[in-house]
Amino acid sequence: MMRLPTLAGEWIDRTRTVTFTFESEPVTGYEGDTISTALAAGGARVFGRSFKYHRPRGFLSFANHDVNVMTQVESVGRSIPNVRGDVEAPIAHSKVTAVNTRGGLKNDRYAFLNRLSTFLPVGFYYKAFHSKRLFPTWERLFRRITGLGTVDLEASHRSTPKRYDFCDVLVIGAGPAGLSAALAAASTGADVLLVDENRALGGSGLYARAGTESVLAKTETLVRAVLAEPRIRVLLSSFASGYYADHWVSVIAPEAMVKVRARSVVIAQGAYEQPCVFRGNDLPGVMLASAAQRLLYRFSVAPARRIAVLTANAEGYAAALDAKSRGLEVAAVLDLRATPGPDSADLMAQLSQQGIRVITDVKPIEAVAGRDGSVARLRYRVGGSEEAIAVDGVWMSVGFAPASAFLHQAGATMRYESSIEQFVPERLPAGLYACGKVAGAYDLAARIADGERAGRQAVSALGSVDALPVAPVMPVRECPNHPYPVFAHLAGKEFVDFDEDLQIKDIENACQEGFDSTELLKRYSTMGMGPSQGKHSNLNALRILAAWRGDAMGAHALTTSRPMFHPVPMAHLAGRGFMPERKTPMDADHARLGAVWMPAANWRRPEYYAVPDVSREAAITAEVHAVRNGVGLIDVGTLGKIEAHGARAGEFLDRIYTARYSNLKVGMTRYGLMLDESGVIIDDGVIARLTPECFYFTTTTGNSATLFREFGRLATWWGIPVGLVNLTGHYAAFNLAGPQSRAVLSQLTDMDLSDAAFPYLAVREGLVAGVPCRLMRVGFVGELGYEIHLPFEFGSELWRAVLQAGQGHGIRPFGVEAQRMLRLEKGHVIIGQDTDGVTNALEIDAPWAIKMDKAFFIGQRSLAVLAKQPLRQTLVGFQMPLGVTERPKECHLIIEQGRIAGRVTSVGFSPTLGRVIGLALVDPTVAHQSHLRVRREAGVEASLEVTSHPFYDPAGARQKMELAS
Amino acid sequence: MPLRLLRFGLTRQHPEPRMFTQHDELKSSYDVVIIGAGGHGLAAAYYLARDHGITNVAVLEKGYIGGGNTGRNTTIIRSNYLTPEGVQFYDESVRLWQDLSQDFDLNLFYSTRGHFTLAHTDAAMRTMRWRAEVNKHYGVQSEAVDAKSVQDAVPMMDISCGGHAPVVGALYHAPGAVARHDAVAWGYGRGADRRGIEIHQKTEVLSIETTDSGSGPAISGVMTNRGRISTKKVLCAVAGSTPRMLSMVGLTSPLYIHPLQAMVSEPVKPWLDPIIVSGSLHVYVSQTARGELVMGASLDPYELHATRSTLDFTESLSMHMLEMFPFLGDVKVVRQWAGMADMTPDFAPIMGKTPIKGFYLDSGWGTWGFKATPVCGKTMSHTVATDENHTLITGFGLDRFRRYALTGEKGAASVGH
Amino acid sequence: MKIMTCPINGPRLISEFAYAGELKEMPDPTQVSDEQWADYVFNKNGPAGIKREWWCHTASGVWFIAERDTTRDVIMRTYLYQAEVALT
């Protein structure tokens, strides 16, 4: 067991245990353990296999970028891929396995890939496997080997909430600098939100202690002050995942995403410790010193018994003292530097008191694995000679990379500060501040002072649009970063990127092949493209690149930083999800009547009404017959419904639609086409004039919202004072159609429905069944009919009243399919079906609807240009011989002499005419032919007889009721 | 283990030369200057050298090779377009793609995965049928298929899409493929480089010079941040920067720039074979050979010449992804990014000669430029070499707008990528 | 998410707004050649820079003009459209 004695402040609760299995072996940890700490406490060393070579790996950072300790967690009801063992708590009784193995962690059958590594140079997959014949086979093999965890295809939809938060100052990172910044900001009265990904405040102040109480004491003082400050709200176990425009920061809490809008933001995210690059630096047991310190103090786990610290800064010396104070044996502190700095020198005295020797000017040669595959020996060179030291742990403390992702995302620029061998902020955008290690402050006192400065600035600049000057980097006594902690070995295996298994030579060879700039290097070598996104590798790779080119470090920028900071589950991003669904007030009535639904924009409409034991076709045919011979009722309430008010409303509509409305008589309606500026048809509708200064008109269902908005823009632009009211949701509408419609309607109203009083195309307002209605006598389906518009709340009631009144006349509700056939029989086009995204108004053979002699309408000038050119396509009607029922489908092609000469836009078997009829958009050069060839399913061709349309009642006598009168 | 990898294990010296020669100086003149070292520009350079023997060519790149939309797109390759011009053009491209890895001796991971464009409404299904019929007419494999076929091919998908937008069918395009996008630029770049063409990275064009040739303006040179170059021919292949280049020679165009964003997940074991696109749900997704899910949506709603990321993009895309694939809630998004798409009013490119003699355009590639890389190189190199528009691109000229002769690709509306 | 300031409703999330392209004044259709008209219909002020654009606050239906730097994604100012002022 590697569990250490109890320590005040440890994150585990020793009174409660958690049991799970790892690779089928039972594991017991404490409440508060992570998967990896529970394993480490039991003495485990190997936690996973690497991505490419399947090398055994332990943990590296313990800071949520340890890709090699990713696990698959199988629990009740779901199996979760890519769970990061270093930070995720084990689920009780779950089955945990390492993700990237074949046949288990111990006996991974892909381990042979490690021995093939010399044959798998950087970008090897670009260099082979691409014979056209064999690539598919190779690819299948790759697809079997790659990937990390396994998606549980049976997992159910998980819905996480989203929350919003607002604050004056958002402080990201609750180490000493962030705590200090939060306090400084709050002390001036600002509302502060402090976010940290860890479960406790304090950051490295809790674990980088140098074996004493003083750092901890100072940190705890800050923590207590923060907790006592009512103006600071603290969000723990939550990481900021992205920095977006105008200080909009997404924070990922365990079970929710919090979207934070801040007035200013302080970045105090510190720095990621970076590995030393030498052969065997990936062996289990070799880790970052900060990872070890986290284990010692947070989880009271000893990651080794006897360690060597490989260092180049005072932080390494401190870590050695921490190891010693927690009872580990420190075999040696191996300093890469010839002369340790002053802070190190101070700590060296303490080390020697504890009997720990310090060796300087060390060059690591390799870490050597023992029988269990984890580190057993560290070989190094000092002076002229080679030495070795037997250890079961090597802690690397050679420097840091600033956690500057959000600074980049916010548009800051960075510069290389050679005094500390680190990138620091050069220019920050307005409202953004950086403090602590990310800004180059390392000493505890300096970090606290820097935080205070940033916190104060963040408040002082609230509301300002200009950035303040960037604070100068605080002078340090000792440089925390080694300029080049990279030690090549002839046999390689010095890892730069642990996610992607990239060694020094991979970086150098990529450079040699011409990928010698940061972005190209990343893309060719996949450096930094793994799940940790280069947090532990980008900096060293950049150093190797600069050295290879002979450039100074500052000559190359880091690769572009993009969200996510840590990977974010899609469930968090998705949240609950909203899909608006609109229903007309008669929705429940339709359902009762057996409606079969179809979507119409975000509405649903009855496609037809199912009848027991009757086929779909027959049901639709019956609906068509009802309208032609008796009476039918259809819900058309999804149409856009708009009122335009004002003395110039007619002029306004004249400019929008192709027909003329300023001369429309009160009480009458007129059809209109709406075009875009290039003459393409975008919508149509019926415009009614209710009073001299009030028009009421419809748009198609899908366009209602955007067109209503566009009308507002046009009125603004043209300077025409017109009041526009969107009544789409306020009004229900249905169409009562068929020769018996008047008889039905007359039972429900006292209005004079005679042709004289209410002629074809008229609009009237009056009471129907006591409900105030607008009635339009329009003929889309080609029969006597009334489109009835009424307030939403009476929709269902009147619908039922009309059906009731129609019972004696055989009334049937009809759906969209029947309406489509009815209008097709009349040859009426459906915009968007018989036209497409490029059909202009000259192409649908409707000159009656287009008044080119008006002063202006949208698209008119373009139509004038188009009128001088030959038509590109034209709409024709067609029919098939009586008795033929095999018919083409919509969008089957018209083929003439082997070339495409158009397409069928609408087609159906007309119950009224007893034959197949349809419309086609065709090349004008074939429109005059008596017959056209259509290519149906499976290439079978059929003949269509070109015919005039409307197919049914071409004179329009029925809708005008001339036959009946 | 292919034999050709053995040499890497048998020598201490990495046995690979530079793919792209580094040129310290620009020459004072070139026969052709190509602006933009993305896939399109480099492909044109490659074919200029290979097919037309023109090698005194400089490719100028403000950033790095393949760093624009070539390296930012979601790598989908297909030819299931709507118009005869479009289908024939992209079909030629697919044919070129299939041999490219061998031509380059560089594995582009050209992977034929099959491509479903889902239809959630009758209206969308009509469009799918239209595209399928036009495709088949030109010998391109496309079929309008029903919902069951979709379910059979992607059994794990919830084809009711959470009940909001049930799939009623799809356009299935068997040749639909993906490829390793960066490698395409490298392959063309290396091929051009080996044939003597100079690629100049970090070289920004500051102005383009024209003179009056007697019959109108003609190209005479290019000023860069590294000095002036004389040339009589300039090919502009710069996607989102095209309007700026056009303004340098006094031309206007209908091009407008909107960002197109994308995101990628952590690697998971491959489970998704085909490419799935839903125009209605604004989703397209495929899984790479590394196991990552590469996901995209529709264009950003407003004009922007920047590649910033937005949170709402990831939110709505994830929401729609989970409607189709509800089991992905625990799969993590690791990175998002954006490119600048140069859009046209008719969803077709703007290619070929312009009113400026010697100034050739390869632009308007919106959200669909990657798949056209090879054929653009082919046709543009022909156009530049002969000063005559290649027959495959005659429908795509800049002057079509003046003539109201737009292509019909927009007829399919809403379906991109 | 970006914040846009509606001249009537104040600062709101940009998701509440709809973009309708650049402000282009229409030439007199009776006075221009076909070619000039096509230029108006199709061509755009494409290069990056500060643009004047139509935006609508969709919740309230307010249309206004935004001046926006498309290079930096920065909204410079917003104001109500007045034909005579907007063109100066």
Side-chain angles (χ1 to χ4, degrees):
Chain A
M1 284 298 290
M2 305 297 279
R3 190 75 75 176
L4 297 167
T6 306
L7 183 78
E10 65 185 15
W11 288 4
I12 49 171
D13 175 356
R14 301 196 188 219
T15 65
R16 297 165 68 194
T17 58
V18 179
T19 312
F20 60 101
T21 63
F22 180 68
E23 296 280 321
S24 305
E25 299 286 328
V27 181
T28 301
Y30 293 123
E31 190 81 34
D33 264 322
T34 70
I35 293 169
S36 299
T37 63
L39 291 172
R45 310 274 284 170
V46 179
F47 292 35
R49 292 277 174 168
S50 66
F51 184 65
K52 193 160 71 175
Y53 301 139
H54 287 254
R55 288 168 65 84
R57 292 266 167 88
F59 43 75
L60 174 69
S61 73
F62 243 97
N64 202 1
H65 43 97
D66 277 0
V67 175
N68 296 309
V69 299
M70 269 193 185
T71 57
Q72 183 87 23
V73 175
E74 216 181 310
S75 165
V76 183
R78 80 194 229 241
S79 177
I80 312 168
N82 298 3
V83 174
R84 294 184 172 197
D86 57 335
V87 290
E88 296 282 344
I91 299 173
H93 313 301
S94 59
K95 287 189 213 162
V96 180
T97 45
V99 289
N100 194 35
T101 74
R102 183 108 176 156
L105 178 58
K106 275 204 189 85
N107 303 306
D108 182 2
R109 288 206 293 279
Y110 289 153
F112 72 92
L113 288 167
N114 186 34
R115 289 195 298 279
L116 294 182
S117 64
T118 53
F119 303 104
L120 304 174
V122 64
F124 70 90
Y125 33 82
Y126 295 126
K127 302 175 192 297
F129 313 108
H130 53 279
S131 90
K132 204 169 165 181
R133 191 170 57 84
L134 291 179
F135 176 73
T137 312
W138 283 115
E139 194 193 22
R140 272 194 296 279
L141 174 71
F142 291 148
R143 285 178 88 89
R144 225 174 21 247
I145 297 177
T146 57
L148 295 171
T150 305
V151 176
D152 176 3
L153 300 177
E154 302 298 318
S156 54
H157 192 284
R158 200 155 63 78
S159 177
T160 64
K162 287 181 186 173
R163 300 207 311 266
Y164 292 85
D165 207 322
F166 301 87
C167 60
D168 292 328
V169 180
L170 171 65
V171 180
I172 305 176
L179 293 168
S180 167
L183 281 170
S187 70
T188 63
D191 170 39
V192 178
L193 182 64
L194 176 61
V195 173
D196 195 282
E197 63 184 273
N198 291 296
R199 65 182 94 155
L201 297 172
S204 64
L206 299 185
Y207 59 77
R209 299 183 185 179
T212 70
E213 291 301 313
S214 107
V215 171
L216 180 66
K218 282 182 190 150
T219 306
E220 286 184 333
T221 306
L222 285 171
V223 169
R224 277 193 299 274
V226 163
L227 293 175
E229 170 57 75
R231 282 182 292 266
I232 301 177
R233 287 172 297 125
V234 174
L235 205 51
L236 289 172
S237 300
S238 302
F239 66 91
S241 67
Y243 185 98
Y244 301 95
D246 294 345
H247 306 320
W248 180 246
V249 178
S250 49
V251 176
I252 309 302
E255 287 303 331
M257 176 159 81
V258 188
K259 297 191 261 187
V260 179
R261 175 76 68 185
R263 295 175 69 197
S264 65
V265 178
V266 177
I267 303 297
Q269 289 169 287
Y272 317 111
E273 185 155 42
Q274 299 294 298
C276 183
V277 181
F278 63 98
R279 177 171 165 82
N281 63 345
D282 69 324
L283 291 181
V286 182
M287 67 189 70
L288 300 173
S290 55
Q293 288 169 304
R294 291 182 189 108
L295 272 177
L296 292 178
Y297 290 117
R298 288 176 176 175
F299 303 99
S300 297
V301 170
R305 292 189 166 81
R306 176 181 156 86
I307 63 155
V309 179
L310 187 62
T311 187
N313 53 25
E315 283 77 2
Y317 286 68
L321 290 168
D322 285 327
K324 186 74 186 169
S325 83
R326 288 299 267 150
L328 278 63
E329 184 185 345
V330 181
V333 171
L334 305 174
D335 197 325
L336 304 179
R337 299 168 297 182
T339 318
D343 294 332
S344 298
D346 291 351
L347 295 169
M348 203 188 298
Q350 297 177 42
L351 285 167
S352 65
Q353 277 169 23
Q354 312 245 20
I356 300 170
R357 63 184 172 134
V358 175
I359 305 170
T360 58
D361 208 9
V362 166
K363 305 223 171 347
I365 298 170
E366 65 171 330
V368 183
R371 195 166 297 157
D372 70 344
S374 65
V375 64
R377 236 160 15 105
L378 181 67
R379 293 178 55 223
Y380 56 92
R381 195 170 283 115
V382 62
S385 61
E386 270 186 42
E387 293 181 8
I389 190 165
V391 288
D392 64 348
V394 175
W395 296 2
M396 300 177 284
S397 179
V398 296
F400 301 83
S404 53
F406 289 177
L407 301 180
H408 292 284
Q409 287 168 30
T413 55
M414 308 285 283
R415 67 180 173 85
Y416 195 74
E417 169 63 46
S418 52
S419 72
I420 54 169
E421 302 288 352
Q422 181 179 316
F423 286 97
V424 294
E426 180 176 43
R427 236 183 13 255
L428 291 169
L432 189 72
Y433 305 90
C435 61
K437 287 179 185 169
V438 75
Y442 275 83
D443 175 70
L444 180 64
R447 279 185 279 159
I448 293 172
D450 200 33
E452 202 178 316
R453 184 263 319 156
R456 271 202 317 274
Q457 282 190 334
V459 177
S460 73
L462 282 182
S464 155
V465 292
D466 297 316
L468 296 177
V470 175
V473 172
M474 299 202 162
V476 291
R477 284 191 351 132
E478 178 171 338
C479 177
N481 298 311
H482 191 283
Y484 199 75
V486 178
F487 302 89
H489 191 285
L490 282 176
K493 300 279 162 65
E494 334 86 328
F495 286 92
V496 180
D497 189 310
F498 289 59
D499 291 16
E500 300 282 316
D501 273 349
L502 295 170
Q503 314 163 48
I504 296 173
K505 67 170 184 189
D506 294 325
I507 309 297
E508 291 179 342
N509 292 344
C511 290
Q512 178 184 320
E513 291 188 38
F515 300 91
D516 53 351
S517 63
T518 41
E519 291 288 350
L520 284 177
L521 174 63
K522 164 185 159 183
R523 287 164 176 276
Y524 188 64
S525 67
T526 70
M527 225 286 313
M529 285 171 70
S532 74
Q533 294 284 288
K535 289 188 180 73
H536 66 263
S537 60
N538 281 344
L539 185 62
N540 281 330
L542 190 62
R543 286 177 173 137
I544 296 167
L545 166 68
W548 187 87
R549 288 185 53 100
D551 294 333
M553 257 309 264
H556 297 269
L558 287 164
T559 55
T560 316
S561 166
R562 298 188 179 281
M564 311 293 164
F565 185 76
H566 295 311
V568 178
M570 270 200 256
H572 273 74
L573 293 167
R576 277 166 56 202
F578 294 97
M579 291 286 277
E581 254 176 18
R582 301 184 76 175
K583 293 176 178 176
T584 73
M586 287 79 82
D587 193 83
D589 297 297
H590 300 321
R592 270 195 299 277
L593 291 164
V596 174
W597 300 103
M598 62 175 285
N602 48 11
W603 302 82
R604 63 175 190 174
R605 297 188 69 185
E607 183 190 7
Y608 67 100
Y609 296 86
V611 180
D613 305 322
V614 171
S615 72
R616 173 181 181 275
E617 294 275 300
I620 293 167
T621 299
E623 291 176 12
V624 170
H625 282 313
V627 175
R628 288 280 176 251
N629 304 318
V631 60
L633 185 66
I634 182 170
D635 183 353
V636 295
T638 60
L639 292 173
K641 297 177 281 291
I642 299 171
E643 267 178 11
H645 294 264
R648 294 173 67 188
E651 176 196 345
F652 178 72
L653 294 169
D654 278 354
R655 295 174 68 90
I656 287 176
Y657 286 97
T658 53
R660 196 189 306 273
Y661 302 93
S662 48
N663 69 354
L664 183 63
K665 290 198 187 80
V666 169
M668 294 303 289
T669 67
R670 189 168 286 160
Y671 178 75
L673 279 172
M674 187 177 179
L675 315 183
D676 72 10
E677 203 48 285
S678 70
V680 168
I681 302 165
I682 54 175
D683 206 67
D684 68 346
V686 170
I687 294 91
R689 190 168 209 165
L690 299 179
T691 72
E693 297 199 0
C694 175
F695 291 82
Y696 178 67
F697 57 104
T698 59
T699 72
T700 58
T701 298
N703 286 338
S704 64
T706 44
L707 286 184
F708 177 74
R709 203 158 67 212
E710 176 64 3
F711 295 150
R713 188 184 75 88
L714 293 170
T716 307
W717 187 31
W718 292 337
I720 297 179
V722 57
L724 294 163
V725 188
N726 189 350
L727 296 171
T728 303
H730 299 259
Y731 271 34
F734 36 85
N735 190 5
L736 178 68
Q740 299 298 314
S741 56
R742 183 180 292 165
V744 173
L745 187 60
S746 63
Q747 297 172 50
L748 299 170
T749 182
D750 296 333
M751 294 169 72
D752 183 350
L753 300 177
S754 69
D755 273 336
F758 193 167
Y760 180 55
L761 296 182
V763 57
R764 294 290 179 268
E765 293 183 274
L767 295 178
V768 178
V771 177
C773 292
R774 289 173 179 170
L775 291 85
M776 290 184 265
R777 243 195 88 181
V778 290
F780 189 55
V781 299
E783 298 293 341
L784 172 67
Y786 300 87
E787 199 168 287
I788 304 169
H789 293 238
L790 69 158
F792 178 95
E793 57 268 38
F794 302 116
S796 175
E797 179 187 325
L798 187 58
W799 171 268
R800 279 178 279 130
V802 173
L803 286 181
Q804 180 72 34
Q807 257 183 359
H809 302 273
I811 196 168
R812 281 185 90 117
F814 65 104
V816 175
E817 271 306 314
Q819 181 184 243
R820 276 187 185 162
M821 175 44 66
L822 289 159
R823 68 86 207 180
L824 178 58
E825 291 173 344
K826 286 298 294 178
H828 289 154
V829 300
I830 295 179
I831 304 300
Q833 176 171 338
D834 300 300
T835 67
D836 59 51
V838 292
T839 311
N840 73 54
L842 303 178
E843 295 171 336
I844 59 160
D845 193 20
W848 50 271
I850 303 162
K851 300 295 172 211
M852 289 299 282
D853 59 343
K854 282 199 294 183
F856 175 83
F857 63 86
I858 297 170
Q860 179 192 37
R861 181 69 178 83
S862 290
L863 289 185
V865 180
L866 288 163
K868 296 177 200 166
Q869 303 179 357
L871 276 183
R872 302 216 311 166
Q873 53 184 355
T874 189
L875 198 66
V876 297
F878 65 82
Q879 60 184 18
M880 296 182 81
L882 283 169
V884 172
T885 52
E886 289 256 292
R887 56 180 186 265
K889 289 182 174 167
E890 283 146 6
C891 288
H892 276 155
L893 300 178
I894 307 295
I895 303 290
E896 288 296 325
Q897 291 168 349
R899 71 182 179 90
I900 299 173
R903 72 178 196 280
V904 172
T905 60
S906 291
V907 66
F909 182 84
S910 161
T912 314
L913 304 169
R915 69 197 316 162
V916 172
I917 57 170
L919 298 171
L921 264 177
V922 299
D923 186 328
T925 60
V926 303
H928 64 277
Q929 294 177 196
S930 65
H931 288 80
L932 294 168
R933 305 287 301 171
V934 66
R935 185 181 291 153
R936 293 197 290 110
E937 231 89 13
V940 177
E941 293 199 358
S943 176
L944 306 174
E945 182 192 342
V946 178
T947 177
S948 61
H949 59 104
F951 306 92
Y952 171 77
D953 184 25
R958 293 182 67 91
Q959 66 233 45
K960 294 175 196 156
M961 222 29 210
E962 283 159 7
L963 297 182
S965 59
Chain B
M1 171 72 53
L3 288 177
R4 57 192 309 155
L5 290 179
L6 285 180
R7 66 198 166 109
F8 291 99
L10 301 176
T11 132
R12 186 144 301 289
Q13 214 56 42
H14 186 58
E16 287 277 344
R18 278 188 84 87
M19 281 204 194
F20 330 105
T21 312
Q22 195 167 334
H23 304 279
D24 293 331
E25 303 264 318
L26 286 164
K27 291 197 286 191
S28 62
S29 100
Y30 294 92
D31 295 340
V32 178
V33 167
I34 296 173
I35 308 174
H40 284 217
L42 292 170
Y46 174 84
Y47 294 115
L48 266 181
R50 197 194 76 173
D51 298 353
H52 303 278
I54 299 173
T55 56
N56 184 23
V57 177
V59 185
L60 310 182
E61 170 55 53
K62 183 172 67 170
Y64 57 96
I65 288 172
N69 292 346
T70 299
R72 295 166 192 272
N73 71 87
T74 48
T75 81
I76 296 168
I77 295 160
R78 62 183 175 85
S79 61
N80 56 352
Y81 279 74
L82 183 60
T83 58
E85 305 92 303
V87 176
Q88 294 174 82
F89 183 78
Y90 294 104
D91 188 41
E92 175 62 17
S93 205
V94 167
R95 256 196 298 280
L96 289 165
W97 271 113
Q98 290 167 349
D99 293 322
L100 221 45
S101 290
Q102 286 191 197
D103 289 355
F104 290 163
D105 191 19
L106 185 75
N107 192 348
L108 304 181
F109 274 68
Y110 183 84
S111 172
T112 304
R113 312 220 63 81
H115 181 287
F116 285 93
T117 312
L118 304 181
H120 302 266
T121 63
D122 280 1
M125 202 58 221
R126 278 196 295 274
T127 307
M128 299 311 156
R129 192 177 303 120
W130 185 6
R131 287 167 63 182
E133 292 301 319
V134 173
N135 286 191
K136 283 188 283 188
H137 181 77
Y138 291 103
V140 170
Q141 293 176 56
S142 289
E143 281 298 336
V145 299
D146 62 10
K148 186 179 173 301
S149 307
V150 177
Q151 187 76 85
D152 290 347
V154 197
M156 65 290 285
M157 186 166 101
D158 173 5
I159 65 162
S160 82
C161 296
H164 304 300
V167 172
V168 298
L171 177 66
Y172 178 60
H173 179 54
V178 292
R180 177 81 183 92
H181 51 8
D182 296 323
V184 176
W186 305 335
Y188 276 120
R190 182 172 72 172
D193 181 275
R194 287 186 180 170
R195 288 169 174 82
I197 285 176
E198 296 178 9
I199 302 168
H200 292 272
Q201 302 182 68
K202 294 181 184 164
T203 304
E204 185 175 4
V205 171
L206 305 175
S207 63
I208 301 171
E209 297 166 13
T210 56
T211 52
D212 195 338
S213 66
S215 57
I219 292 293
S220 58
V222 172
M223 180 59 81
T224 78
N225 61 340
R226 295 171 59 209
R228 184 184 180 279
I229 305 168
S230 292
T231 186
K232 289 192 162 23
K233 290 185 175 182
V234 167
L235 167 58
C236 174
V238 296
S241 299
T242 307
R244 193 161 60 87
M245 295 292 144
L246 289 174
S247 69
M248 289 181 186
V249 293
L251 292 177
T252 52
S253 79
L255 292 171
Y256 57 102
I257 313 299
H258 282 225
L260 182 69
Q261 301 192 57
M263 66 186 196
V264 64
S265 78
E266 283 185 345
V268 285
K269 293 270 178 267
W271 58 272
L272 178 67
D273 281 334
I275 305 155
I276 307 285
V277 176
S278 164
S280 310
L281 295 183
H282 307 293
V283 168
Y284 51 99
V285 58
S286 67
Q287 191 169 18
T288 69
R290 279 165 55 90
E292 301 146 321
L293 294 170
V294 179
M295 297 165 272
S298 49
L299 281 179
D300 276 13
Y302 58 88
E303 187 180 29
L304 193 65
H305 296 80
T307 55
R308 57 89 183 99
S309 295
T310 68
L311 178 63
D312 35 319
F313 162 78
T314 64
E315 294 181 271
S316 64
L317 178 51
S318 299
M319 179 182 102
H320 290 308
M321 277 293 295
L322 293 195
E323 279 168 350
M324 291 162 70
F325 306 109
F327 49 84
L328 289 179
D330 289 315
V331 171
K332 292 171 183 158
V333 175
V334 72
R335 187 171 66 250
Q336 64 176 129
W337 67 94
M340 286 185 269
D342 44 335
M343 302 298 297
T344 64
D346 60 356
F347 298 174
I350 298 176
M351 297 179 77
K353 296 172 65 174
T354 67
I356 314 286
K357 187 167 169 48
F359 187 74
Y360 308 94
L361 263 181
D362 177 22
S363 67
W365 283 109
T367 64
W368 50 85
F370 177 68
K371 61 183 71 64
T373 306
V375 73
C376 283
K378 269 273 194 191
T379 54
M380 289 311 300
S381 62
H382 171 95
T383 303
V384 170
T386 62
D387 197 36
E388 288 295 332
N389 282 331
H390 189 283
T391 50
L392 278 177
I393 67 167
T394 49
F396 301 142
L398 175 61
D399 63 343
R400 72 178 183 272
F401 301 99
R402 189 172 50 79
R403 295 187 287 110
Y404 280 79
L406 276 60
T407 76
E409 209 55 68
K410 197 187 178 185
S414 83
V415 188
H417 318 303
Chain C
M1 188 181 293
K2 279 204 81 60
I3 289 178
M4 181 168 246
T5 302
C6 168
I8 302 295
N9 299 285
R12 322 283 303 180
L13 294 182
I14 204 163
S15 58
E16 290 185 22
F17 295 85
Y19 164 77
E22 67 183 297
L23 172 63
K24 269 203 297 197
E25 287 305 331
M26 185 178 80
D28 181 343
T30 63
Q31 299 299 312
V32 292
S33 68
D34 289 358
E35 192 157 329
Q36 286 167 317
W37 184 256
D39 177 63
Y40 161 70
V41 170
F42 294 111
N43 287 339
K44 295 193 156 59
N45 166 24
I50 294 173
K51 312 229 173 171
R52 284 193 305 177
E53 303 167 331
W54 283 106
W55 284 80
C56 179
H57 181 241
T58 53
S60 62
V62 175
W63 279 99
F64 59 93
I65 304 299
E67 286 181 11
R68 212 165 52 84
D69 183 345
T70 65
T71 316
R72 297 182 300 133
D73 196 17
V74 170
I75 299 159
M76 321 292 288
R77 65 189 190 113
T78 56
Y79 49 90
L80 293 177
Y81 175 82
Q82 289 166 297
E84 65 278 16
V85 182
L87 285 177
T88 58

